[in-house]
Amino acid sequence: MSEESLPADALPDYAERVLEVAEMIPAGRVMTYGDVAEWLEEGGPRQVGRVMALYGGAVPWWRVIRADGVLLPGHELDALGHYRAEGTPLREASRASEGHVPRVDMKRARWDGGERTQDHIGQLPAPGGRSGGL
């Protein structure tokens, strides 16, 4: 069954798993598109980005970002509002950067899936898509 022939409310399995990971990223932390693909042991950054572009509106999309910490083009102000509300570490933009929009401080904000709050224990899909904790 192709994606085009799926019922409107059905998600492809890969998309469902990507969105599950996005939902488990704690407030104030981020994963890159590549991190999510590596965690799932399937696909790559482009596939994760495609899933987020098509289906990510219902999950905390601002927590899955580019590896360089640049905010999602066209959604910078929305993302920035979320980052500030959640206390996500940011790096102030240089005067030379276009629009003077900060970036996410990847060294401090990046989440590897290991530092879980009590609410997240056992909920994040294990590497390779198996359910359960690490």
Side-chain angles (χ1 to χ4, degrees):
M1 184 181 248
S2 73
E3 281 186 40
E4 288 79 26
S5 61
L6 288 171
D9 61 345
L11 287 175
D13 179 60
Y14 183 73
E16 223 173 282
R17 290 188 291 125
V18 167
L19 298 178
E20 286 174 4
V21 174
E23 288 179 322
M24 292 297 129
I25 301 169
R29 305 300 299 273
V30 298
M31 288 181 96
T32 68
Y33 299 114
D35 291 341
V36 173
E38 186 177 320
W39 177 261
L40 294 172
E41 295 180 351
E42 184 179 354
R46 289 178 189 247
Q47 288 82 8
V48 171
R50 180 80 174 145
V51 167
M52 294 302 295
L54 292 173
Y55 309 109
V59 300
W61 53 267
W62 58 93
R63 296 182 191 155
V64 181
I65 66 171
R66 292 174 27 167
D68 62 6
V70 170
L71 307 190
L72 184 63
H75 300 278
E76 297 93 345
L77 296 179
D78 287 337
L80 194 54
H82 289 291
Y83 296 140
R84 288 186 170 145
E86 294 182 354
T88 306
L90 299 171
R91 296 180 62 180
E92 288 305 316
S94 70
R95 292 181 201 222
S97 68
E98 190 175 325
H100 305 289
V101 177
R103 291 180 181 212
V104 172
D105 185 338
M106 294 304 292
K107 287 183 182 179
R108 294 175 35 221
R110 200 170 196 169
W111 187 61
D112 66 3
E115 308 162 17
R116 300 179 196 201
T117 64
Q118 194 60 31
D119 293 342
H120 294 130
I121 293 175
Q123 293 180 16
L124 189 62
R130 296 177 303 278
S131 61
L134 289 177

